[in-house]
């Protein structure tokens, strides 16, 4: 392909949760050498970039999102040398590497916070957010932690409260302090200098807080049974004025290196999300688009509305992206069922923009069921129903003990899914019609097609309410995607006397030419066609 698009526009990103990918040393926890040993599999699959959830030193109060050292590797995952080896081996295979960057908070065991806590006059005091108690001695305002309870914790020796929008062991940094910004940019540079290809930036929407520390308003829509933190609307902690200056600084920093990407985790409604591309497209390259993850009903009309609304909202020149799941959200195969999981892979890998795949999606991995005492997630302590552990189970490599994730004698940190003997890489590689082989075929077709990687998007009106049909076109190349989201057979019609050539069916059992005027789709089937432009 000869064009001016970046790798992060034409490529497919694969998210690895390092604890759960492969345990190389028998301690029950996945590690960097384990990931390195599976690079050939990832190359074979056909993805282009690997995003690793945090691998930094951490007390693991929130599984690595509570960092004590931004420029090193936690011994559980290996050493800095192991990371360099992984980077080198990935680059040898033309795979890019994206690290998680966590700017909003550190661990309370980070040296910065240790100093900040020493006294009110310590020169690191202003690196975090400290406030005097309210008149009644209670917290400075009503802000709630996203992990439950007040977002403020009282520090007895200094008589002030510190802010933590997540766990009590994750104090928020004060991004209004220029010294904090510079220190964090130095941390980013450390990895960019080492050859990392970009960052997925965590919890961006809460980086700045209201300067007046006003109370958040009550949420009139809250009802008993909803998460306690939803009682309030996060008006004064989300998407505050001044955010875009920081985004531009981060972007300017990455632009001093060649071909690096910034992906932003921003839990915002679409219209507010769009501003994070920047007015001059000079902020976040890819503000995460989580709409498919939150879609209440998984049916053709809702999916089409989502795609069209997002496409319409994108600023000119901004590049789209799509996500079906991640380390915090229920797995797609659990949400929509095994049959439709195949359909969602075709959807994800044929829409316009950059797809981000969560490890195990290519196998149709589902959430695991855990007893409360088996849960590890800090969120599960008070509220087991909000545990994120079910989506973080070990990758299923083969039918041996622990699905080949850990050596036989070692119990993995989380249980392996009960279906691992049927649903695993080795078994699915042997089955020409498995979801793994479908995903690989989709990735291969996508990579070889300018229409799919670069083409325009246009939905096609259908009488059948259960089918979503759209066209991707680039110059003279045109692909048509027809997805049937019902269990019943459907006929898709186009006002055309022409024929289309089937490139792929989600059932992996059809090819050849079919008339566009009457395309028969079986229940839960998607087809990808090449048509004359």
């Amino acid at each position: 392909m000869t064009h001016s698009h970046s790798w992060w526009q034409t490529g497919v990103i694969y998210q690895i949760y390092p604890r759960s990918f492969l345990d190389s040393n028998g301690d029950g926890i996945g590690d960097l050498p384990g990931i390195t040993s599976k690079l050939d599999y990832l190359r074979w699959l056909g993805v282009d970039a690997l995003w690793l959830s945090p691998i930094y030193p951490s007390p693991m109060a929130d599984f690595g999102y509570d960092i004590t050292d931004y420029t090193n590797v936690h011994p559980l995952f290996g050493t800095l040398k192991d990371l360099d080896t992984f980077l080198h081996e990935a680059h040898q295979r033309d795979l890019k590497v994206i690290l998680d960057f966590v700017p909003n908070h550190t661990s309370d065991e980070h040296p910065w916070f240790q100093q900040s806590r020493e006294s009110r006059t310590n020169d690191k005091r202003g690196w975090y957010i400290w406030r005097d108690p309210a008149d009644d001695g209670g917290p400075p305002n009503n802000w709630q932690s996203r992990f439950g309870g007040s977002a403020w914790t009282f520090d007895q020796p200094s008589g002030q409260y510190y802010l933590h929008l997540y766990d009590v062991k994750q104090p928020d940094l004060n991004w209004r302090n220029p010294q904090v910004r510079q220190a964090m940019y130095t941390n980013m540079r450390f990895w960019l200098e080492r050859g990392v290809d970009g960052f997925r930036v965590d919890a961006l929407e809460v980086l700045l807080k209201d300067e007046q520390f006003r109370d958040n308003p009550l949420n009139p829509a809250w009802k008993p049974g909803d998460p306690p933190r939803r009682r309030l609307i996060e008006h004064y902690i989300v998407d505050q004025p001044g955010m875009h200056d920081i985004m531009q600084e981060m972007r300017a920093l990455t632009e001093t290196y060649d071909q690096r990407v910034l992906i932003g985790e921003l839990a915002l409604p679409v219209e507010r999300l769009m501003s994070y591309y920047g007015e001059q497209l000079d902020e976040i390259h890819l503000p995460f688009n989580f709409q498919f993850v939150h879609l209440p009903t998984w049916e053709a009309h809702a999916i089409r509305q989502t795609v069209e609304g997002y496409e319409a909202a994108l600023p000119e020149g901004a590049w789209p992206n799509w996500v079906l799941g991640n380390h915090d959200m229920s797995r797609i195969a659990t949400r929509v069922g095994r049959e439709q999981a195949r359909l969602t892979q075709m959807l994800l890998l044929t829409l316009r923009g950059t797809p981000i795949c969560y490890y195990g999606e290519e196998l149709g991995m589902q959430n695991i069921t855990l007893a409360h005492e088996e849960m590890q997630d800090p969120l599960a302590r008070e509220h087991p129903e909000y545990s994120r552990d079910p989506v973080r189970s070990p990758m299923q490599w083969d039918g041996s003990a622990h699905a080949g994730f850990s050596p036989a004698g070692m119990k993995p940190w989380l249980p392996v899914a009960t279906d691992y003997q049927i649903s695993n890489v080795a078994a699915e590689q042997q089955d020409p019609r498995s979801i793994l082989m479908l995903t690989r075929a989709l990735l291969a077709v996508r990579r070889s097609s300018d229409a799919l990687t670069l083409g325009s998007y246009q939905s096609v009106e259908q009488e059948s309410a259960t089918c979503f049909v759209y066209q991707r076109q680039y110059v003279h190349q045109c692909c048509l995607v027809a997805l049937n989201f019902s269990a019943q057979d459907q006929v898709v019609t186009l006002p055309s006397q022409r024929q289309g050539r089937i490139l792929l069916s989600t059932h992996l059992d059809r090819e050849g030419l079919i008339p566009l005027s009457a395309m028969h789709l079986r229940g839960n089937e998607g087809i990808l066609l090449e048509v004359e432009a």
Side-chain angles (χ1 to χ4, degrees), residues 60 62 75 83 97 132 189 211 361 364 382 402 420:
M60 296 289 169
D62 183 24
L83 188 93
V97 175
D132 288 330
R189 274 195 204 91
E211 289 189 275
E361 269 175 14
E382 307 288 320
H402 312 315
Y420 78 87

Side-chain angles (χ1 to χ4, degrees), residues 237-458:
I237 58 173
V238 162
D239 192 19
Q240 295 301 299
M243 280 294 293
H244 297 285
D245 297 343
I246 295 175
M247 300 302 105
Q248 286 161 18
E249 288 176 4
M250 277 189 188
R251 174 66 172 265
L253 186 158
T254 52
E255 292 291 341
T256 58
Y257 299 83
D258 193 35
Q259 289 278 325
R260 311 295 166 98
V261 69
L262 283 178
I263 304 171
E265 185 195 28
L266 291 145
L268 293 172
V270 170
E271 59 280 4
R272 285 166 75 183
L273 184 69
M274 292 305 163
S275 68
Y276 282 82
Y277 280 105
E279 283 183 21
Q280 311 296 317
L281 297 183
D282 56 356
E283 295 183 26
I284 301 294
H285 294 97
L286 298 173
F288 259 142
N289 169 20
F290 288 127
Q291 293 181 92
F292 282 164
V293 178
H294 300 303
L295 211 56
T297 55
W298 197 256
E299 43 95 10
H301 177 67
I303 294 166
R304 176 177 168 175
Q305 271 192 317
T306 300
V307 176
E308 289 182 352
Y310 178 71
E311 281 279 352
L314 281 164
E316 191 169 342
W319 195 256
N321 68 89
W322 295 97
V323 182
L324 292 173
N326 66 18
H327 61 290
D328 290 332
M329 317 282 188
S330 171
R331 283 190 175 275
I332 186 70
T334 297
R335 297 204 309 273
V336 305
R338 270 269 158 81
E339 286 73 33
Q340 287 211 2
R342 299 176 76 101
L343 215 53
T344 64
Q345 286 295 75
M346 183 170 275
L347 175 73
L348 179 72
L349 296 173
T350 58
L351 280 172
R352 189 173 85 91
T354 304
I356 295 111
C357 309
Y358 188 46
Y359 82 94
E361 269 175 14
E362 74 271 27
L363 304 174
M365 273 175 67
Q366 294 178 291
N367 297 1
I368 57 167
T369 308
L370 291 163
H372 192 191
E373 61 274 9
E374 291 177 296
M375 291 181 184
Q376 310 278 341
D377 185 2
L379 268 181
R381 279 195 293 270
E382 307 288 320
H383 294 281
E385 68 274 25
Y386 302 133
S387 175
R388 297 164 296 179
D389 294 325
V391 308
R392 298 173 174 182
S393 63
M395 178 68 175
Q396 291 152 220
W397 293 106
D398 57 39
S400 68
H402 312 315
F405 164 77
S406 271
M410 188 63 216
K411 195 173 165 218
W413 77 285
L414 279 176
V416 173
T418 49
D419 68 353
Y420 78 87
Q421 282 166 317
I422 310 151
S423 178
N424 65 61
V425 171
E428 294 194 28
Q429 281 179 325
Q430 297 307 309
D431 172 4
R433 291 187 188 169
S434 65
I435 186 168
L436 175 61
M437 297 311 273
L438 170 65
T439 305
R440 183 175 187 242
L442 279 163
L443 286 162
V445 172
R446 179 191 164 83
R447 198 166 41 251
S448 65
S449 162
D450 283 351
L452 292 177
T453 45
L454 304 170
S456 60
Y457 163 89
Q458 181 66 50

Side-chain angles (χ1 to χ4, degrees), residues 70-71 80 83-84 87-88 91 97 99 184-199 252-258 260:
Y70 282 93
T71 56
L80 208 45
L83 188 93
D84 288 339
L87 254 178
H88 174 76
H91 288 158
V97 175
L99 290 188
M184 291 303 269
Y185 298 154
T186 300
N187 290 333
M188 290 174 81
R189 274 195 204 91
F190 174 86
W191 295 109
L192 293 166
E193 291 290 341
R194 271 192 128 77
V196 165
D197 300 290
F199 298 102
L253 186 158
T254 52
E255 292 291 341
T256 58
Y257 299 83
D258 193 35
R260 311 295 166 98

